[in-house]
Amino acid sequence: MPAYPMTARAAVNAAGDELDAILHAIDHDRSALRPCAELGEPPPLVGWLGSPPPLPGPLRAHDGRAARVLFRALAPSTAAIESACKRWGASRVGAVIAAPIADLDPVAVAMRLSAPMPAPTAEALVELVLAATSMRGPVYACSAEGAAGATAVAAGIRLLDAGALDAVIVGGCEVLGPATLRLPGVDAPGEGAALALLERHGDAFVELAAVCEVASGSALARLAREHAHATRSVGYVHAIEPVEADPARPGVPVITTTRVTGHLRAAAGVTELVLAAGALERGRAPIPGDRGDPDLDLDAAIVDVPVGKGGRVALSLRARSS
Amino acid sequence: VIRIAATARWTAEDGPLTPSAADRAGSSRFVRMTAHVLSALGADREPETRWVFGTCHGPRHDAIEAALGRSHARAFTIPHAVQEVASRLDHRGAVSIVSAGTRTVAMALVEASVRMGEGPVFVVLADESTPAHTHAPIHDALAVALELVVDDTAGPRISAPRRRSEPLPSPPRHVSAAVAASAMWPALALVDAVRESAWGWHALEADRRRSEAGWAVELRPPT
């Protein structure tokens, strides 16, 4: 695949609603996980976003907790998206958004109130993106177990590689509720959204250089084997959980985010992607405490996340000036 | 241009799903009907082939039925339901799960079309019947599967889906009233068109008010 510049990015989760704030929280190992009495008794430990503000008037038809959370990441990016629509044409710009794994809480609320069932969350997110932007290319939601946001990135890259689009928003959104929390799953989940705008050409400091998906085994190892250029000067590996260090460069630090943000599931993968991009731009890996290496050669990063039943996705980012 | 190697369909009008040796207690109808159409294509003999699942409601019906105490289905999330299908058919390949409301059929075919470079793809488009309490138009369950291949073998073909700005040359095909309100009806109409050799453009958006233009696919005769 060619490298695709990342011309816009945004993230929101319990650690902050801007990249710098989230990176700062990781720098200082400051967890945003809190016991949340609204979600059950005893209060579960979660990365909770409280009460996100309702969508603005014209978008109110798509309102819902997931849409509110996604909009907090989408709103700061709309100028860049509109610029891409002008540059490439609206039909050449699209989006792939990872939707929350469970759609149970809107069902539970509607049944409790004997109210009409709202549209499925995935549908609401797609309609929100179409209503909030002028893009008219393919826009769809994807679902997966684990860090589903990484599958949205891989799907968006497929659309660019196939020539179906010239610019794509890849994103993910995760929300929590009492019914969803009763499902078996990860400990300490979190809420949040993240998105990145990838274009065929454009001015950007960071580009996505390689994507590797594996059904089983190590995506990091395959990335190293098949894309040696992508791992030649890796500054650090960004993961949502501890992984083996980059086999192409032993000693490369591995940074994890779940202890700070909670496990963001559908928003994970994309969150790590945009945080790694932010770290490359500021030239400093988000290494907590005194574990940082001031001499770290930070011009590339790899994001490594689990997806589905044993699968993994690895994403290689590099600074374009390198 | 993509060849449609095989198709399969099931609606509630076809009668109950035949119990399979692979059925397990707690398997929902969503799981059983999608496994049924995939088995009809021989997907269980090609465990590495990629799957693209398109669904609007997924197993939401099952979640509601379980909440009402009328179902013991286990898979309340779409990834879990698809994983159960994959487990039953011993599938080990990549899976994409796509939702886009009334555009779900179109977007699943877009996802399949960009996956074709990696080999054949089984596309499954399915929704359960309208869940209780939804106040939505009533429709029956349906499941459709297509095997898509890029090769030189003779057979019906489809173009990659595209968004037409001009009206379709003919109105959307008729589908049974029982499924006409489902977001998946364009998939059923497309499969029926293949079987009836109804070449030409076919709407992929389920919203009939918008189906004069919008996402569509061209079905072409065997060459």
PDB file of all heavy atoms in Angstrom, chain A residues 232-261:
ATOM      1  N   ARG A 232      11.918   0.105  10.387  1.00  0.00           N
ATOM      2  CA  ARG A 232      13.352   0.364  10.413  1.00  0.00           C
ATOM      3  C   ARG A 232      13.753   1.266  11.578  1.00  0.00           C
ATOM      4  O   ARG A 232      14.764   1.072  12.213  1.00  0.00           O
ATOM      5  CB  ARG A 232      13.782   0.986   9.082  1.00  0.00           C
ATOM      6  CG  ARG A 232      15.290   0.939   8.845  1.00  0.00           C
ATOM      7  CD  ARG A 232      15.628   1.341   7.428  1.00  0.00           C
ATOM      8  NE  ARG A 232      15.013   2.606   7.055  1.00  0.00           N
ATOM      9  CZ  ARG A 232      14.222   2.778   6.005  1.00  0.00           C
ATOM     10  NH1 ARG A 232      13.960   1.774   5.229  1.00  0.00           N
ATOM     11  NH2 ARG A 232      13.694   3.957   5.727  1.00  0.00           N
ATOM     12  N   SER A 233      12.975   2.293  11.841  1.00  0.00           N
ATOM     13  CA  SER A 233      13.364   3.206  12.917  1.00  0.00           C
ATOM     14  C   SER A 233      12.149   3.494  13.789  1.00  0.00           C
ATOM     15  O   SER A 233      11.626   4.589  13.818  1.00  0.00           O
ATOM     16  CB  SER A 233      13.944   4.496  12.348  1.00  0.00           C
ATOM     17  OG  SER A 233      12.957   5.257  11.734  1.00  0.00           O
ATOM     18  N   VAL A 234      11.688   2.468  14.449  1.00  0.00           N
ATOM     19  CA  VAL A 234      10.476   2.602  15.253  1.00  0.00           C
ATOM     20  C   VAL A 234      10.808   3.257  16.592  1.00  0.00           C
ATOM     21  O   VAL A 234      11.682   2.793  17.326  1.00  0.00           O
ATOM     22  CB  VAL A 234       9.843   1.222  15.497  1.00  0.00           C
ATOM     23  CG1 VAL A 234       8.677   1.333  16.469  1.00  0.00           C
ATOM     24  CG2 VAL A 234       9.391   0.645  14.183  1.00  0.00           C
ATOM     25  N   GLY A 235      10.103   4.321  16.915  1.00  0.00           N
ATOM     26  CA  GLY A 235      10.343   4.988  18.180  1.00  0.00           C
ATOM     27  C   GLY A 235       9.715   4.232  19.325  1.00  0.00           C
ATOM     28  O   GLY A 235      10.314   4.028  20.363  1.00  0.00           O
ATOM     29  N   TYR A 236       8.478   3.795  19.128  1.00  0.00           N
ATOM     30  CA  TYR A 236       7.829   3.039  20.191  1.00  0.00           C
ATOM     31  C   TYR A 236       6.627   2.305  19.637  1.00  0.00           C
ATOM     32  O   TYR A 236       6.172   2.563  18.519  1.00  0.00           O
ATOM     33  CB  TYR A 236       7.418   3.959  21.347  1.00  0.00           C
ATOM     34  CG  TYR A 236       6.175   4.775  21.127  1.00  0.00           C
ATOM     35  CD1 TYR A 236       5.017   4.507  21.860  1.00  0.00           C
ATOM     36  CD2 TYR A 236       6.139   5.818  20.213  1.00  0.00           C
ATOM     37  CE1 TYR A 236       3.876   5.253  21.688  1.00  0.00           C
ATOM     38  CE2 TYR A 236       5.001   6.575  20.045  1.00  0.00           C
ATOM     39  CZ  TYR A 236       3.866   6.292  20.780  1.00  0.00           C
ATOM     40  OH  TYR A 236       2.732   7.037  20.610  1.00  0.00           O
ATOM     41  N   VAL A 237       6.136   1.364  20.410  1.00  0.00           N
ATOM     42  CA  VAL A 237       4.937   0.600  20.048  1.00  0.00           C
ATOM     43  C   VAL A 237       3.820   1.023  20.976  1.00  0.00           C
ATOM     44  O   VAL A 237       3.987   1.060  22.197  1.00  0.00           O
ATOM     45  CB  VAL A 237       5.189  -0.918  20.160  1.00  0.00           C
ATOM     46  CG1 VAL A 237       3.915  -1.688  19.887  1.00  0.00           C
ATOM     47  CG2 VAL A 237       6.293  -1.340  19.207  1.00  0.00           C
ATOM     48  N   HIS A 238       2.678   1.354  20.386  1.00  0.00           N
ATOM     49  CA  HIS A 238       1.534   1.818  21.151  1.00  0.00           C
ATOM     50  C   HIS A 238       0.477   0.723  21.127  1.00  0.00           C
ATOM     51  O   HIS A 238       0.042   0.306  20.066  1.00  0.00           O
ATOM     52  CB  HIS A 238       0.975   3.081  20.496  1.00  0.00           C
ATOM     53  CG  HIS A 238       0.221   3.948  21.435  1.00  0.00           C
ATOM     54  ND1 HIS A 238       0.532   5.276  21.624  1.00  0.00           N
ATOM     55  CD2 HIS A 238      -0.804   3.689  22.250  1.00  0.00           C
ATOM     56  CE1 HIS A 238      -0.290   5.788  22.517  1.00  0.00           C
ATOM     57  NE2 HIS A 238      -1.116   4.847  22.904  1.00  0.00           N
ATOM     58  N   ALA A 239       0.094   0.231  22.262  1.00  0.00           N
ATOM     59  CA  ALA A 239      -0.828  -0.899  22.318  1.00  0.00           C
ATOM     60  C   ALA A 239      -1.880  -0.624  23.382  1.00  0.00           C
ATOM     61  O   ALA A 239      -1.744   0.286  24.197  1.00  0.00           O
ATOM     62  CB  ALA A 239      -0.068  -2.181  22.637  1.00  0.00           C
ATOM     63  N   ILE A 240      -2.940  -1.397  23.351  1.00  0.00           N
ATOM     64  CA  ILE A 240      -3.935  -1.218  24.400  1.00  0.00           C
ATOM     65  C   ILE A 240      -3.686  -2.172  25.553  1.00  0.00           C
ATOM     66  O   ILE A 240      -4.302  -2.083  26.583  1.00  0.00           O
ATOM     67  CB  ILE A 240      -5.365  -1.399  23.863  1.00  0.00           C
ATOM     68  CG1 ILE A 240      -5.549  -2.793  23.288  1.00  0.00           C
ATOM     69  CG2 ILE A 240      -5.668  -0.350  22.822  1.00  0.00           C
ATOM     70  CD1 ILE A 240      -6.993  -3.055  22.903  1.00  0.00           C
ATOM     71  N   GLU A 241      -2.788  -3.100  25.346  1.00  0.00           N
ATOM     72  CA  GLU A 241      -2.448  -4.034  26.407  1.00  0.00           C
ATOM     73  C   GLU A 241      -0.996  -4.452  26.175  1.00  0.00           C
ATOM     74  O   GLU A 241      -0.464  -4.282  25.082  1.00  0.00           O
ATOM     75  CB  GLU A 241      -3.346  -5.263  26.359  1.00  0.00           C
ATOM     76  CG  GLU A 241      -3.243  -5.996  25.046  1.00  0.00           C
ATOM     77  CD  GLU A 241      -4.215  -7.155  24.952  1.00  0.00           C
ATOM     78  OE1 GLU A 241      -5.140  -7.241  25.780  1.00  0.00           O
ATOM     79  OE2 GLU A 241      -4.034  -7.959  24.054  1.00  0.00           O
ATOM     80  N   PRO A 242      -0.327  -4.985  27.190  1.00  0.00           N
ATOM     81  CA  PRO A 242       1.073  -5.352  27.001  1.00  0.00           C
ATOM     82  C   PRO A 242       1.250  -6.326  25.843  1.00  0.00           C
ATOM     83  O   PRO A 242       0.486  -7.270  25.689  1.00  0.00           O
ATOM     84  CB  PRO A 242       1.440  -6.001  28.333  1.00  0.00           C
ATOM     85  CG  PRO A 242       0.475  -5.415  29.305  1.00  0.00           C
ATOM     86  CD  PRO A 242      -0.788  -5.187  28.557  1.00  0.00           C
ATOM     87  N   VAL A 243       2.232  -6.067  25.010  1.00  0.00           N
ATOM     88  CA  VAL A 243       2.555  -6.969  23.900  1.00  0.00           C
ATOM     89  C   VAL A 243       4.060  -7.191  23.918  1.00  0.00           C
ATOM     90  O   VAL A 243       4.802  -6.489  24.590  1.00  0.00           O
ATOM     91  CB  VAL A 243       2.159  -6.374  22.531  1.00  0.00           C
ATOM     92  CG1 VAL A 243       0.673  -6.231  22.434  1.00  0.00           C
ATOM     93  CG2 VAL A 243       2.870  -5.049  22.291  1.00  0.00           C
ATOM     94  N   GLU A 244       4.466  -8.180  23.120  1.00  0.00           N
ATOM     95  CA  GLU A 244       5.906  -8.365  22.965  1.00  0.00           C
ATOM     96  C   GLU A 244       6.466  -7.186  22.195  1.00  0.00           C
ATOM     97  O   GLU A 244       5.830  -6.673  21.269  1.00  0.00           O
ATOM     98  CB  GLU A 244       6.183  -9.659  22.207  1.00  0.00           C
ATOM     99  CG  GLU A 244       5.885 -10.900  23.012  1.00  0.00           C
ATOM    100  CD  GLU A 244       6.226 -12.157  22.230  1.00  0.00           C
ATOM    101  OE1 GLU A 244       6.985 -12.065  21.269  1.00  0.00           O
ATOM    102  OE2 GLU A 244       5.709 -13.202  22.612  1.00  0.00           O
ATOM    103  N   ALA A 245       7.644  -6.753  22.573  1.00  0.00           N
ATOM    104  CA  ALA A 245       8.248  -5.599  21.910  1.00  0.00           C
ATOM    105  C   ALA A 245       8.505  -5.901  20.441  1.00  0.00           C
ATOM    106  O   ALA A 245       8.506  -7.050  20.011  1.00  0.00           O
ATOM    107  CB  ALA A 245       9.545  -5.231  22.614  1.00  0.00           C
ATOM    108  N   ASP A 246       8.683  -4.848  19.672  1.00  0.00           N
ATOM    109  CA  ASP A 246       8.917  -4.946  18.241  1.00  0.00           C
ATOM    110  C   ASP A 246      10.085  -5.897  17.959  1.00  0.00           C
ATOM    111  O   ASP A 246      11.216  -5.631  18.371  1.00  0.00           O
ATOM    112  CB  ASP A 246       9.238  -3.548  17.719  1.00  0.00           C
ATOM    113  CG  ASP A 246       9.566  -3.559  16.243  1.00  0.00           C
ATOM    114  OD1 ASP A 246       9.375  -4.603  15.611  1.00  0.00           O
ATOM    115  OD2 ASP A 246       9.991  -2.509  15.743  1.00  0.00           O
ATOM    116  N   PRO A 247       9.819  -7.016  17.267  1.00  0.00           N
ATOM    117  CA  PRO A 247      10.898  -7.981  17.048  1.00  0.00           C
ATOM    118  C   PRO A 247      12.002  -7.426  16.159  1.00  0.00           C
ATOM    119  O   PRO A 247      13.111  -7.930  16.165  1.00  0.00           O
ATOM    120  CB  PRO A 247      10.178  -9.155  16.378  1.00  0.00           C
ATOM    121  CG  PRO A 247       8.937  -8.562  15.790  1.00  0.00           C
ATOM    122  CD  PRO A 247       8.548  -7.429  16.672  1.00  0.00           C
ATOM    123  N   ALA A 248      11.666  -6.380  15.382  1.00  0.00           N
ATOM    124  CA  ALA A 248      12.690  -5.820  14.498  1.00  0.00           C
ATOM    125  C   ALA A 248      13.655  -4.932  15.267  1.00  0.00           C
ATOM    126  O   ALA A 248      14.706  -4.576  14.759  1.00  0.00           O
ATOM    127  CB  ALA A 248      12.033  -5.026  13.371  1.00  0.00           C
ATOM    128  N   ARG A 249      13.283  -4.572  16.445  1.00  0.00           N
ATOM    129  CA  ARG A 249      14.162  -3.678  17.200  1.00  0.00           C
ATOM    130  C   ARG A 249      13.972  -3.931  18.687  1.00  0.00           C
ATOM    131  O   ARG A 249      13.178  -3.251  19.344  1.00  0.00           O
ATOM    132  CB  ARG A 249      13.831  -2.222  16.837  1.00  0.00           C
ATOM    133  CG  ARG A 249      14.822  -1.246  17.427  1.00  0.00           C
ATOM    134  CD  ARG A 249      14.556   0.142  16.911  1.00  0.00           C
ATOM    135  NE  ARG A 249      15.088   1.124  17.843  1.00  0.00           N
ATOM    136  CZ  ARG A 249      15.056   2.425  17.660  1.00  0.00           C
ATOM    137  NH1 ARG A 249      14.524   2.902  16.566  1.00  0.00           N
ATOM    138  NH2 ARG A 249      15.528   3.235  18.551  1.00  0.00           N
ATOM    139  N   PRO A 250      14.650  -4.894  19.233  1.00  0.00           N
ATOM    140  CA  PRO A 250      14.507  -5.196  20.660  1.00  0.00           C
ATOM    141  C   PRO A 250      14.820  -3.966  21.505  1.00  0.00           C
ATOM    142  O   PRO A 250      15.686  -3.162  21.172  1.00  0.00           O
ATOM    143  CB  PRO A 250      15.561  -6.291  20.887  1.00  0.00           C
ATOM    144  CG  PRO A 250      15.842  -6.849  19.548  1.00  0.00           C
ATOM    145  CD  PRO A 250      15.638  -5.749  18.572  1.00  0.00           C
ATOM    146  N   GLY A 251      14.077  -3.825  22.577  1.00  0.00           N
ATOM    147  CA  GLY A 251      14.308  -2.689  23.459  1.00  0.00           C
ATOM    148  C   GLY A 251      13.418  -1.507  23.176  1.00  0.00           C
ATOM    149  O   GLY A 251      13.413  -0.523  23.926  1.00  0.00           O
ATOM    150  N   VAL A 252      12.673  -1.563  22.072  1.00  0.00           N
ATOM    151  CA  VAL A 252      11.743  -0.473  21.779  1.00  0.00           C
ATOM    152  C   VAL A 252      10.649  -0.453  22.841  1.00  0.00           C
ATOM    153  O   VAL A 252      10.046  -1.491  23.130  1.00  0.00           O
ATOM    154  CB  VAL A 252      11.120  -0.664  20.381  1.00  0.00           C
ATOM    155  CG1 VAL A 252       9.962   0.296  20.160  1.00  0.00           C
ATOM    156  CG2 VAL A 252      12.170  -0.469  19.315  1.00  0.00           C
ATOM    157  N   PRO A 253      10.372   0.678  23.455  1.00  0.00           N
ATOM    158  CA  PRO A 253       9.363   0.693  24.516  1.00  0.00           C
ATOM    159  C   PRO A 253       7.953   0.447  23.993  1.00  0.00           C
ATOM    160  O   PRO A 253       7.623   0.801  22.866  1.00  0.00           O
ATOM    161  CB  PRO A 253       9.480   2.110  25.092  1.00  0.00           C
ATOM    162  CG  PRO A 253      10.141   2.910  24.034  1.00  0.00           C
ATOM    163  CD  PRO A 253      11.004   1.981  23.251  1.00  0.00           C
ATOM    164  N   VAL A 254       7.168  -0.203  24.838  1.00  0.00           N
ATOM    165  CA  VAL A 254       5.766  -0.480  24.519  1.00  0.00           C
ATOM    166  C   VAL A 254       4.897   0.321  25.480  1.00  0.00           C
ATOM    167  O   VAL A 254       5.023   0.201  26.701  1.00  0.00           O
ATOM    168  CB  VAL A 254       5.448  -1.976  24.657  1.00  0.00           C
ATOM    169  CG1 VAL A 254       3.974  -2.237  24.392  1.00  0.00           C
ATOM    170  CG2 VAL A 254       6.317  -2.789  23.715  1.00  0.00           C
ATOM    171  N   ILE A 255       4.014   1.141  24.937  1.00  0.00           N
ATOM    172  CA  ILE A 255       3.150   2.005  25.735  1.00  0.00           C
ATOM    173  C   ILE A 255       1.733   1.459  25.703  1.00  0.00           C
ATOM    174  O   ILE A 255       1.228   1.117  24.635  1.00  0.00           O
ATOM    175  CB  ILE A 255       3.127   3.441  25.167  1.00  0.00           C
ATOM    176  CG1 ILE A 255       4.538   3.914  24.847  1.00  0.00           C
ATOM    177  CG2 ILE A 255       2.413   4.378  26.117  1.00  0.00           C
ATOM    178  CD1 ILE A 255       5.498   3.851  25.990  1.00  0.00           C
ATOM    179  N   THR A 256       1.077   1.367  26.825  1.00  0.00           N
ATOM    180  CA  THR A 256      -0.311   0.917  26.847  1.00  0.00           C
ATOM    181  C   THR A 256      -1.199   2.024  27.412  1.00  0.00           C
ATOM    182  O   THR A 256      -0.752   2.876  28.173  1.00  0.00           O
ATOM    183  CB  THR A 256      -0.477  -0.338  27.709  1.00  0.00           C
ATOM    184  OG1 THR A 256      -0.074  -0.032  29.043  1.00  0.00           O
ATOM    185  CG2 THR A 256       0.374  -1.474  27.190  1.00  0.00           C
ATOM    186  N   THR A 257      -2.458   2.001  26.984  1.00  0.00           N
ATOM    187  CA  THR A 257      -3.361   3.097  27.337  1.00  0.00           C
ATOM    188  C   THR A 257      -4.528   2.670  28.212  1.00  0.00           C
ATOM    189  O   THR A 257      -5.177   3.532  28.809  1.00  0.00           O
ATOM    190  CB  THR A 257      -3.937   3.720  26.050  1.00  0.00           C
ATOM    191  OG1 THR A 257      -4.388   2.667  25.209  1.00  0.00           O
ATOM    192  CG2 THR A 257      -2.890   4.537  25.323  1.00  0.00           C
ATOM    193  N   THR A 258      -4.834   1.388  28.265  1.00  0.00           N
ATOM    194  CA  THR A 258      -6.075   0.994  28.937  1.00  0.00           C
ATOM    195  C   THR A 258      -6.093   1.387  30.415  1.00  0.00           C
ATOM    196  O   THR A 258      -7.143   1.683  30.960  1.00  0.00           O
ATOM    197  CB  THR A 258      -6.290  -0.521  28.827  1.00  0.00           C
ATOM    198  OG1 THR A 258      -5.069  -1.180  29.104  1.00  0.00           O
ATOM    199  CG2 THR A 258      -6.767  -0.917  27.466  1.00  0.00           C
ATOM    200  N   ARG A 259      -4.941   1.385  31.069  1.00  0.00           N
ATOM    201  CA  ARG A 259      -4.927   1.723  32.493  1.00  0.00           C
ATOM    202  C   ARG A 259      -5.263   3.194  32.714  1.00  0.00           C
ATOM    203  O   ARG A 259      -5.592   3.592  33.825  1.00  0.00           O
ATOM    204  CB  ARG A 259      -3.582   1.396  33.121  1.00  0.00           C
ATOM    205  CG  ARG A 259      -2.408   2.014  32.396  1.00  0.00           C
ATOM    206  CD  ARG A 259      -1.089   1.497  32.928  1.00  0.00           C
ATOM    207  NE  ARG A 259      -0.736   2.129  34.192  1.00  0.00           N
ATOM    208  CZ  ARG A 259       0.012   1.553  35.110  1.00  0.00           C
ATOM    209  NH1 ARG A 259       0.435   0.322  34.909  1.00  0.00           N
ATOM    210  NH2 ARG A 259       0.334   2.186  36.201  1.00  0.00           N
ATOM    211  N   VAL A 260      -5.172   4.000  31.662  1.00  0.00           N
ATOM    212  CA  VAL A 260      -5.491   5.427  31.769  1.00  0.00           C
ATOM    213  C   VAL A 260      -6.914   5.722  31.275  1.00  0.00           C
ATOM    214  O   VAL A 260      -7.675   6.421  31.922  1.00  0.00           O
ATOM    215  CB  VAL A 260      -4.466   6.269  30.976  1.00  0.00           C
ATOM    216  CG1 VAL A 260      -4.876   7.733  30.937  1.00  0.00           C
ATOM    217  CG2 VAL A 260      -3.084   6.118  31.590  1.00  0.00           C
ATOM    218  N   THR A 261      -7.273   5.176  30.116  1.00  0.00           N
ATOM    219  CA  THR A 261      -8.553   5.529  29.487  1.00  0.00           C
ATOM    220  C   THR A 261      -9.647   4.495  29.741  1.00  0.00           C
ATOM    221  O   THR A 261     -10.818   4.777  29.496  1.00  0.00           O
ATOM    222  CB  THR A 261      -8.388   5.635  27.959  1.00  0.00           C
ATOM    223  OG1 THR A 261      -8.021   4.351  27.440  1.00  0.00           O
ATOM    224  CG2 THR A 261      -7.314   6.648  27.594  1.00  0.00           C
TER     225      THR A 261
END
